[in-house]
Amino acid sequence: MSPNPPFQSLRFQGRDVLHRPDHVILQLQDENVRARDVLDDALDGDPYRIVARDGHRWLYVRVEKKRSILDLVAILDRTRGVAWAEPDLVFSPLEDPNDPMLKPEHPRYQWGVDCLNLREAWKRTTGKDSVLIGLIDTGIALGDPPDNGSVLGQSLQGYPTHEDLADGNFIAGRSYVQPNNQPPIAWPKDAYGHGTNLAGILAAVTGNGKGMAGVNRVSPVYVSNVTDYGKTTSGLLLQGIQDLLLSAEAAGIDRVVINLAFALDIKAVRDESVDSRFSHAVRQIFTTVVEHGAILCLGGGNDYNETKGPQYIEYPARLGLLDPEFAEYAVVAGAVAPDLKLWHGSARGYADLVFAPGSNIWTTHRSGDYKEEFGTSMSTAYVAGVASLMWSYAPDATAQEIVRCLKCTARKPSAEADHRIVNACAAVDSVGAKIILLPLAFHFEELDHELNQIGLIELEIATCSTVTFRVTTLGHSFGIASGLYHHDPCLNPIFTLPAHYLADDPPDVSGTVRIECVEFRKMTWDVELRGSRNPRS
């Protein structure tokens, strides 16, 4: 078994798939075609080996390629004597990971996985190394650094002391507070425990037969310790986030999801008195995130009580939720309990809050065991993990699209509930939605004046979630009504707008129909419609 899976992503037949990059499969047209003549001609000197075959029906070929696999397949497809050729696609077993805490009967059951519909999301993606998760927290439980010191951005594999984190894909950020005012070191060791808790939710090693499963199995997690005695400051947060984003830039990664689960330590005043202009430094944190096109996932707060009224949210989550300058790049998490009702201390009362498991959460502890934890910090890690899966599945999406899809696919646990829980599968599907304007005829020309003519505007939709379109007509409407149209692609993947050109319409009319996807990803089409008919003879 390879220490790292030898698979790469590929766009094939309109889908993002994994393939084995040094193998192809092909079929010869008939038994009279000599395989080596075909391969010698197509590969033009590239070394190859026929691994297996069944006559002319299929050949499995290993190639020491000097070109992309898609170019190679295209060349083989065009080669005389080849019926078809394609990459060596990767398939996964239809089984759940074997981590024991995924089982409902386990006393430390990871109920959050099923609450968020993660098993279905994992069938679509388990993460990609092109997405970086930033855990700006208390670090993780580590042993001693290597003898030759540690390097910012290096892999921490083998150094976490918890068995479920030791082989995880963790990257060394800095530990900023050192004894005697020494400079920061690239060894983010957790002396408090909070970061180790979140690391397990985000990225505990999955499929190792031990403990729990992390939300994201593949994406690297950059870990920093920005705390002193478990608390942090605005200056330390600025340093930590800046270093994270610079590290991502140096690694060529432009998709960063940041987990930030802290609240302002302010007990003397009501939370509502802390408005969005409270701290210039905290605003700069958000500005830095927006400038880099990253996503910031924040904990909503744990100190609700009835004296705070129907709405409650801590700072800086308040800034990410309510300030329009930052809200498109921020997701704020509240906490639900196993019965899917609000956890008693959770933030609440705002429409754009999303909720995730935050009560009775068994996760990794710095002692090397597992511990039951509570709070919106746990919810934040779940939300950040789902956001990273979404960006892995739809790498061309923007941060705003990821945030919008995550929020709008959250669903109420019951008809009477006022809160919405993240649905990982629907979120992944929605951001990966492929909506294509089909190239059909919209122009009604040279028509018989006695007939009513009908044309179709059609969109092909590939997602499992209901999509809402806003239709606006400009000029002649051709019988199309402006307004909102809701379409369920599970019933029919084609969304159709009939356009009518009536017999009593003027001889020459034209108009434009604007179709906007108002949920999920922002897409707009302007469809030009024109009708003309022969004059009466």
Side-chain angles (χ1 to χ4, degrees):
M1 180 181 292
S2 302
N4 295 302
F7 308 134
Q8 296 178 6
S9 60
L10 176 76
R11 189 74 175 172
F12 179 68
Q13 304 281 29
R15 298 289 179 181
D16 292 321
V17 297
L18 291 176
H19 76 293
R20 200 174 181 188
D22 49 1
H23 287 69
V24 293
I25 304 171
L26 65 145
Q27 183 184 88
L28 303 178
Q29 289 178 341
D30 57 56
E31 65 272 13
N32 297 318
V33 177
R34 295 187 68 243
R36 296 206 174 271
D37 290 345
V38 167
L39 293 170
D40 288 343
D41 181 37
L43 299 178
D44 193 28
D46 285 358
Y48 68 87
R49 177 168 63 88
I50 299 175
V51 178
R53 65 182 298 175
D54 179 12
H56 73 283
R57 285 184 287 272
W58 59 264
L59 288 84
Y60 189 30
V61 182
R62 177 167 183 160
V63 181
E64 295 181 20
K65 61 186 180 69
K66 300 175 183 177
R67 64 201 91 193
S68 77
I69 199 72
L70 284 181
D71 288 345
L72 181 58
V73 167
I75 290 170
L76 285 166
D77 263 335
R78 295 194 301 267
T79 300
R80 186 175 181 180
V82 175
W84 54 260
E86 65 180 47
D88 189 16
L89 303 178
V90 174
F91 296 80
S92 299
L94 294 174
E95 61 183 8
D96 270 345
N98 61 357
D99 307 83
M101 288 165 62
L102 286 175
K103 298 178 180 178
E105 62 272 18
H106 195 282
R108 296 175 173 181
Y109 168 48
Q110 267 188 279
W111 67 270
V113 167
D114 292 313
C115 171
L116 298 179
N117 204 13
L118 275 166
R119 295 179 202 263
E120 289 300 312
W122 287 337
K123 293 177 182 178
R124 289 141 176 83
T125 181
T126 54
K128 283 187 178 177
D129 57 12
S130 57
V131 178
L132 181 65
I133 303 170
L135 181 55
I136 310 301
D137 210 271
T138 67
I140 59 173
L142 296 172
D144 294 328
D147 293 338
N148 59 350
S150 57
V151 179
L152 185 69
Q154 77 173 5
S155 171
L156 290 171
Q157 190 169 28
Y159 289 100
T161 53
H162 196 289
E163 65 174 6
D164 231 351
L165 303 177
D167 292 326
N169 193 5
F170 296 99
I171 304 298
R174 287 191 169 99
S175 186
Y176 291 91
V177 180
Q178 296 299 314
N180 302 317
N181 294 319
Q182 293 296 307
I185 61 172
W187 198 249
K189 189 171 183 176
D190 188 357
Y192 183 69
H194 190 259
T196 303
N197 299 154
L198 305 189
I201 295 170
L202 284 166
V205 178
T206 302
N208 61 353
K210 301 174 183 177
M212 64 185 296
V215 174
N216 191 313
R217 307 177 197 176
V218 179
S219 298
V221 180
Y222 175 101
V223 182
S224 62
N225 181 358
V226 294
T227 61
D228 189 14
Y229 293 97
K231 297 183 182 294
T232 190
T233 69
S234 50
L236 291 171
L237 290 174
L238 271 169
Q239 281 184 279
I241 289 176
Q242 176 179 268
D243 284 345
L244 160 69
L245 294 171
L246 289 174
S247 182
E249 190 175 303
I253 298 176
D254 56 6
R255 303 170 191 89
V256 182
V257 178
I258 304 171
N259 189 110
L260 195 66
F262 292 99
L264 183 66
D265 196 355
I266 181 167
K267 306 300 183 186
V269 299
R270 287 175 60 86
D271 303 301
E272 288 78 359
S273 68
V274 181
D275 65 20
S276 64
R277 300 287 170 179
F278 180 77
S279 165
H280 292 293
V282 172
R283 288 189 68 83
Q284 186 57 51
I285 291 172
F286 283 82
T287 299
T288 301
V289 169
V290 170
E291 288 174 349
H292 282 79
I295 295 170
L296 188 58
C297 299
L298 302 122
N302 300 339
D303 291 329
Y304 176 77
N305 59 60
E306 292 183 356
T307 66
K308 297 187 177 182
Q311 292 183 312
Y312 156 68
I313 188 173
E314 291 280 8
Y315 183 86
R318 170 180 296 277
L319 188 59
L321 188 74
L322 301 179
D323 193 310
E325 185 178 345
F326 308 128
E328 288 189 329
Y329 294 83
V331 186
V332 179
V336 292
D339 61 3
L340 305 187
K341 295 180 181 179
L342 293 180
W343 175 60
H344 65 84
S346 173
R348 64 192 64 203
Y350 293 91
D352 276 348
L353 271 173
V354 297
F355 289 80
S359 172
N360 308 94
I361 305 298
W362 285 95
T363 185
T364 48
H365 186 258
R366 72 186 187 97
S367 65
D369 200 351
Y370 299 85
K371 186 181 177 184
E372 191 177 29
E373 297 289 349
F374 299 80
T376 57
S377 291
M378 310 302 124
S379 312
T380 306
Y382 272 118
V383 169
V386 172
S388 70
L389 291 180
M390 295 168 68
W391 229 343
S392 298
Y393 190 67
D396 59 334
T398 65
Q400 300 100 309
E401 289 172 337
I402 299 290
V403 169
R404 187 182 309 113
C405 291
L406 200 157
K407 291 178 180 178
C408 71
T409 54
R411 82 290 189 222
K412 291 184 176 182
S414 63
E416 61 275 9
D418 292 325
H419 61 285
R420 296 175 300 116
I421 300 174
V422 169
N423 184 332
C425 181
V428 166
D429 271 343
S430 68
V431 79
K434 305 296 188 294
I435 304 180
I436 304 166
L437 181 67
L438 298 182
L440 300 181
F442 314 125
H443 300 279
F444 314 104
E445 301 185 70
E446 301 298 323
L447 304 179
D448 188 315
H449 64 267
E450 299 294 335
L451 298 178
N452 294 343
Q453 302 293 327
I454 299 176
L456 300 177
I457 302 172
E458 293 187 325
L459 295 170
E460 183 176 10
I461 306 168
T463 179
C464 71
S465 303
T466 299
V467 182
T468 299
F469 297 101
R470 178 182 292 112
V471 174
T472 308
T473 56
L474 306 171
H476 193 78
S477 71
F478 290 90
I480 298 173
S482 296
L484 294 178
Y485 289 74
H486 306 283
H487 184 75
D488 185 352
C490 297
L491 300 178
N492 184 351
I494 305 298
F495 168 66
T496 303
L497 277 173
H500 303 272
Y501 183 60
L502 304 178
D504 57 357
D505 279 338
D508 294 284
V509 291
S510 63
T512 299
V513 177
R514 171 163 291 180
I515 308 172
E516 301 171 87
C517 179
V518 298
E519 294 177 318
F520 313 142
R521 308 185 65 177
K522 285 186 176 178
M523 288 171 268
T524 302
W525 300 266
D526 284 342
V527 182
E528 300 291 335
L529 298 178
R530 185 173 71 254
S532 62
R533 65 169 178 265
N534 290 327
R536 293 179 183 273
S537 55

